[in-house]
Amino acid sequence: MRVLVTGGAGFIGSHVVAALAAERHEPVVLDALLPAAHAVEPEPPDAEFIRGDVRDPGTVRAALRGVDAVCHQAAMVGLGKDFADAPAYVSCNDLGTAVLLAGMAEAGVRTLVQAGSMVVYGEGRYVCSGHGVVRPGPRAVEDLQAGRFEPRCPVCAAELVPGLVGEDAPADPRNVYATTKLAQEHLAAAWARSVGGVAVSLRYHNVYGPGMPRDTPYAGVASFFRSALARGEAPRVFEDGGQRRDFVHVRDVAGANAAALAGLAGHPPGGHTAYNVGSGEPHTVGEMAVELAAAHGGPAPVVTGEFRLGDVRHITADSSRLRRDLGWRPQVGFAAGMAEFARAGQRASAGAV
């Protein structure tokens, strides 16, 4: 299959290109190589490469010639620095997706795998001993300032037990990036219904691995810690380090894209399906920092008690639907993945990805 990979020169996109090539697909890379995302221009990908912006209809039209399917990875990611980033997020993520889907409709390309994100859920799944499954609202600033980090039952204020969140959980985006990622899914679903296409949104959890950008306010927490260690500094762990996440290796994420393409033949036309992509091994941010620092041989992490508004406390994946429907299984365990990441190279960054 000839597969267009938007953002195929980026961190995740480049691994998707490699995974598709390994499955004997013919990847075609579309990437604008924007300076904000690529402080140093990367080596040309080992695939047909088109330099251009997914927001440009003419570029998209040319890139789609002869294409059978699209893996849409191009996006501006992370929480950003403040709300002033909102226009850039909406332009890159939502306008870019709309232009791409319009081009696919025109070109007759009817298969889409879209890079989604677990941030569409907001907080994860919580159970109260007295009220069952509940959905706590955003944490109050005064609680965070006082070091009260755990969400409480919105009914009785009791302690909650965090669990795995499934794809059918209600969406509750808590920041601009999360809102744009949910809008991308809605656009993909509307496109599939309109043209009789088949769309899958892969909701990535905390992706890490070789080639991750460094020193940027837009990257994930694993990148922050790895960048600090590279500078000989201790990783700074926010809150109390007890935040639960699902750290999934980038090669496993790339494998999920290949599995989704292979499995889309069994999906009915006009449909859109979301899949969580997680390792299935929840760990706290503090545990990850300790594992990474030990593997790197650098300073031990420092727990600071600092916090970022918009961060959620716990979000971990139930990826059983992806395993059941598409036969995907993660291959890289937590300890092995962190040991590799501790020594792997990182991409230079100019402040955004």
Side-chain angles (χ1 to χ4, degrees), residues 123-129 132-134 136 150-152 158-165 242-245 282-284 312-317:
E123 285 284 356
R125 186 178 189 273
Y126 293 88
V127 176
C128 171
S129 60
V133 176
V134 296
E150 293 292 342
R152 293 280 178 158
E159 293 185 5
L160 300 174
V161 177
L164 301 181
V165 60
Q243 310 93 304
R244 283 163 51 95
R245 296 291 187 269
H283 290 274
T284 67
V312 299
R313 179 62 175 175
H314 304 297
I315 177 69
T316 52

Side-chain angles (χ1 to χ4, degrees), residues 134-201:
V134 296
R135 294 187 59 78
R139 295 179 292 172
V141 174
E142 55 268 27
D143 285 337
L144 296 171
Q145 290 173 335
R148 296 188 294 267
F149 301 120
E150 293 292 342
R152 293 280 178 158
C153 175
V155 180
C156 67
E159 293 185 5
L160 300 174
V161 177
L164 301 181
V165 60
E167 292 89 348
D168 295 330
D172 184 19
R174 299 282 177 94
N175 53 61
V176 171
Y177 169 63
T179 303
T180 65
K181 295 307 290 183
L182 184 59
Q184 284 184 302
E185 291 196 17
H186 289 319
L187 286 166
W191 165 84
R193 287 191 298 268
S194 176
V195 305
V198 180
V200 160
S201 294

Side-chain angles (χ1 to χ4, degrees), residues 46-255:
D46 188 18
E48 182 180 338
F49 175 62
I50 300 169
R51 183 167 186 168
D53 198 311
V54 73
R55 292 169 289 185
D56 178 62
T59 297
V60 168
R61 192 175 299 115
L64 286 169
R65 291 192 188 113
V67 162
D68 302 298
V70 174
C71 281
H72 182 32
Q73 308 295 316
M76 184 175 179
V77 304
L79 283 178
K81 292 177 286 187
D82 53 46
F83 204 83
D85 287 333
Y89 276 108
V90 173
S91 176
C92 289
N93 298 356
D94 299 339
L95 176 60
T97 299
V99 171
L100 173 67
L101 294 173
M104 292 173 66
E106 178 184 346
V109 180
R110 297 292 182 261
T111 302
L112 172 71
V113 178
Q114 179 248 332
S117 174
M118 55 81 180
V119 295
V120 301
Y121 298 118
E123 285 284 356
R125 186 178 189 273
Y126 293 88
V127 176
C128 171
S129 60
H131 297 95
V133 176
V134 296
R135 294 187 59 78
R139 295 179 292 172
V141 174
E142 55 268 27
D143 285 337
L144 296 171
Q145 290 173 335
R148 296 188 294 267
F149 301 120
E150 293 292 342
R152 293 280 178 158
C153 175
V155 180
C156 67
E159 293 185 5
L160 300 174
V161 177
L164 301 181
V165 60
E167 292 89 348
D168 295 330
D172 184 19
R174 299 282 177 94
N175 53 61
V176 171
Y177 169 63
T179 303
T180 65
K181 295 307 290 183
L182 184 59
Q184 284 184 302
E185 291 196 17
H186 289 319
L187 286 166
W191 165 84
R193 287 191 298 268
S194 176
V195 305
V198 180
V200 160
S201 294
L202 298 177
R203 292 174 177 170
Y204 303 158
H205 280 246
N206 289 71
V207 185
Y208 74 97
M212 197 174 192
R214 68 172 182 260
D215 299 324
T216 162
Y218 299 84
V221 67
S223 176
F224 289 166
F225 294 167
R226 177 67 179 81
S227 298
L229 290 165
R231 297 190 300 269
E233 301 171 2
R236 295 175 61 82
V237 180
F238 280 17
E239 301 187 16
D240 60 359
Q243 310 93 304
R244 283 163 51 95
R245 296 291 187 269
D246 188 324
F247 299 99
V248 58
H249 196 278
V250 66
R251 287 197 298 274
D252 285 331
V253 169

